[in-house]
Amino acid sequence: MRYISTRGQAPALTFEETMLTGLARDGGLYVPETLPRMTPAEIAALAGLSYEEVAFRVMRPFLGDSFTDAEFGECITRAYAGFGHAARAPLKQLQDNHFLLELFHGPTLAFKDFAMQLIGQLFQTALARSGERVTIVGATSGDTGSAAMEAFRGLSNVDVFILYPHGRVSDVQRRQMTTVAEANAHALAIDGTFDDAQARLKDMFNDFTFRDEVRLAGVNSINFARVLAQVVYYFTAAVALGAPHRKVSFTVPTGNFGDIFAGYLAKRMGLPIERLVVATNHNDILHRALSSGDYVTHGVTPSISPSMDIQVSSNFERVLFDAYGRDGVAVAQLMDELRRGGFHISQGALETLRADFASGRASEAQTSAMIARARAEMGELLCPHSAVGVHVAQDFLGTTPMVTLATAHPAKFPDAVEAATGLRPALPPRMADLFERPERMTRVPDDLTQIETLIREALAK
Ligand SMILES: *Cc1c(COP(=O)(O)O)cnc(C)c1O
């Protein structure tokens, strides 16, 4: 199994190399050269298996020789052992033919734990074998950083540094980063915005001396290994609802297009998915693109579903690659136009995309109203991201079962939930002492040299 870049100019890599590299050197994203397929009989045989067993069977063909069966099996077991629900990703009925897939039972209460916990284990296994160490640096507006700190804490061959904007993440999100006690995990509070944090991260990757010296590695959502881990719950959910004998649709609260791209992979692998519905908040570049063909940036307006506040969706490049017949030169050209403000998706490519994807958006008022309605009519407390999904799904309910992904626990965004319902959601019992745990973080100025110095000094200790 080899991985190729969406821009066609970087060398093909193995799974392990792809995972440790992240972004391709030509600026593209890695995708499998060919997709493994599962037959209806193989899909039917997943019924009744544990989440871990399904994870093994679905992901194994993507790994090639990078990991042995035993290594991979152990990584999966360790990755999901800390989840607070035996099913890992339980399904719950919301309405007639409408189900909620709860993806918030991981250690940081958002779906990002599914992928981050697994790649923490895969990184550690690969590095322990080669005797190497890497430094993971990430920038976060909240959920990615806490998931990464949790996943890499205490691993012997990895140091992790997370830059987050000082004073601009929620209390729960901050504490999930700053209360990690292990010495290899570092929360850095930058005096700036999320965009500043992300810009300094890019600067570090472009500073090749520093990059090579500390062996910088990235774990943002363009890492293919992260996307792959998210394919699994599309299979468990669809099989629970009757696949392969019955079709299922999914609605996915979307920001960077990573989670829904995993659903697209599941469909290409043979899972009978009728429709993949992209649900956006008022930062609706994807909904506009799928409606009109114009993929044009408008800047970001903050919302009550902050993990979906994006300017452009980086993983969208992966479906564009397929929609343009895997023409890397064409994709590179589109991405060039995007840097200048946007591009128009060709009619042929748009029709290809619309064969798989539908879309909708929820305004702030509609999101709040959905949180209130779900509480009153369905007895369900939704986080604002999940509420965007449930709102958009209403237009697509019918005879095919619809699964909406619940991407975070309501207690992670208590202010928005309380404003809509009057109820302040409580943290799950295993996390109830989060506000008593001691915090540890380092304030850093928005300055590349000082941030790099701090990382070098921390690594030297
Ligand atoms: C990251 C995130 C999303 C968006 O997922 P993408 O893969 O970026 O589309 C939605 N909801 C929550 C709670 C998130 O943390």
Side-chain angles (χ1 to χ4, degrees):
M1 170 68 72
R2 282 149 50 90
Y3 291 81
I4 56 170
S5 165
T6 50
R7 302 196 193 170
Q9 301 296 314
L13 301 179
T14 65
F15 176 80
E16 181 177 328
E17 290 164 341
T18 302
M19 177 180 82
L20 294 172
T21 303
L23 195 69
R25 249 180 302 177
D26 59 5
L29 278 62
Y30 277 106
V31 289
E33 197 165 33
T34 53
L35 269 189
R37 286 195 54 96
M38 287 182 77
T39 63
E42 286 170 332
I43 295 170
L46 301 176
L49 299 182
S50 68
Y51 186 88
E52 284 81 350
E53 185 60 36
V54 175
F56 184 90
R57 294 195 189 185
V58 168
M59 290 189 278
R60 184 70 191 95
F62 287 87
L63 272 57
D65 300 330
S66 291
F67 295 90
T68 66
D69 285 358
E71 283 173 335
F72 187 46
E74 282 160 25
C75 285
I76 292 173
T77 303
R78 283 195 295 267
Y80 301 113
F83 277 51
H85 197 292
R88 311 310 182 212
L91 264 185
K92 207 168 179 183
Q93 183 156 13
L94 268 190
Q95 298 170 285
D96 276 353
N97 246 353
H98 188 195
F99 301 82
L100 198 66
L101 182 60
E102 294 185 350
L103 300 176
F104 50 70
H105 295 286
T108 70
L109 307 180
F111 82 88
K112 293 191 171 68
D113 289 324
F114 277 89
M116 208 65 93
Q117 284 292 322
L118 183 66
I119 74 166
Q121 297 301 327
L122 293 174
F123 262 67
Q124 175 63 24
T125 302
L127 294 167
R129 209 165 41 198
S130 64
E132 289 169 80
R133 270 191 93 79
V134 298
T135 303
I136 287 169
V137 182
T140 188
S141 55
D143 292 340
T144 305
S146 51
M149 295 278 281
E150 251 325 305
F152 290 94
R153 66 193 292 173
L155 299 181
S156 60
N157 293 51
V158 181
D159 291 279
V160 56
F161 294 84
I162 299 296
L163 286 165
Y164 70 89
H166 179 69
R168 293 171 203 246
V169 298
S170 81
D171 288 349
V172 174
Q173 288 174 323
R174 186 193 71 247
R175 285 184 163 273
Q176 284 181 335
M177 295 187 274
T178 58
T179 61
V180 173
E182 283 82 353
N184 74 325
H186 309 265
L188 307 181
I190 186 171
D191 285 316
T193 62
F194 170 59
D195 290 328
D196 296 327
Q198 207 161 27
R200 296 300 77 73
L201 179 70
K202 270 208 184 118
D203 292 345
M204 277 185 255
F205 274 93
N206 286 327
D207 177 352
F208 292 112
T209 314
F210 178 75
R211 179 176 176 166
D212 294 341
E213 179 190 329
V214 305
R215 283 223 53 191
L216 216 53
V219 291
N220 57 13
S221 75
I222 54 100
N223 194 310
F224 185 79
R226 267 187 66 184
V227 174
L228 177 60
Q230 293 164 189
V231 172
V232 177
Y233 45 70
Y234 287 90
F235 276 88
T236 59
V239 168
L241 293 172
H245 316 293
R246 191 156 75 140
K247 286 193 170 194
V248 180
S249 290
F250 289 89
T251 300
V252 185
T254 296
N256 249 329
F257 209 78
D259 210 4
I260 196 163
F261 181 71
Y264 169 84
L265 287 180
K267 182 173 181 180
R268 290 276 96 84
M269 289 172 71
L271 192 66
I273 296 178
E274 184 168 280
R275 230 192 214 127
L276 290 162
V277 183
V278 175
T280 75
N281 64 25
H282 59 208
N283 295 299
D284 60 352
I285 181 167
L286 286 166
H287 176 54
R288 285 184 279 115
L290 288 165
S291 307
S292 70
D294 289 321
Y295 193 74
V296 179
T297 58
H298 282 177
V300 177
T301 311
S303 78
I304 56 171
S305 46
S307 302
M308 294 155 64
D309 288 345
I310 47 97
Q311 160 106 334
V312 297
S313 293
S314 32
N315 276 294
F316 195 56
E317 181 169 342
R318 288 187 158 120
V319 284
L320 284 174
F321 183 58
D322 281 358
Y324 279 82
R326 303 209 130 196
D327 178 349
V329 175
V331 171
Q333 210 169 338
L334 293 176
M335 293 303 134
D336 248 11
E337 289 175 44
L338 181 60
R339 260 194 299 278
R340 295 192 293 273
F343 57 84
H344 188 76
I345 302 169
S346 74
Q347 195 54 35
L350 193 57
E351 278 164 24
T352 307
L353 290 170
R354 284 179 181 158
D356 290 315
F357 297 100
S359 66
R361 91 196 280 272
S363 68
E364 294 289 271
Q366 287 168 328
T367 306
S368 291
M370 192 69 240
I371 296 175
R373 187 182 149 203
R375 165 74 193 154
E377 293 175 17
M378 307 164 200
E380 195 65 42
L381 267 189
L382 297 174
C383 95
H385 309 78
S386 311
V388 167
V390 172
H391 172 85
V392 168
Q394 300 304 308
D395 285 338
F396 298 93
L397 300 182
T399 51
T400 304
M402 173 62 77
V403 176
T404 296
L405 274 53
T407 51
H409 192 286
K412 207 161 182 183
F413 301 92
D415 295 339
V417 177
E418 188 174 13
T421 63
L423 286 170
R424 195 157 182 92
L427 286 166
R430 68 203 150 91
M431 247 166 255
D433 67 339
L434 185 66
F435 281 81
E436 274 98 67
R437 297 178 200 163
E439 289 192 81
R440 179 173 63 93
M441 52 135 115
T442 310
R443 289 279 294 274
V444 292
D446 178 18
D447 179 273
L448 179 66
T449 311
Q450 294 193 50
I451 296 171
E452 289 184 346
T453 303
L454 194 137
I455 292 175
R456 281 194 178 97
E457 287 173 1
L459 290 174
K461 273 187 193 146

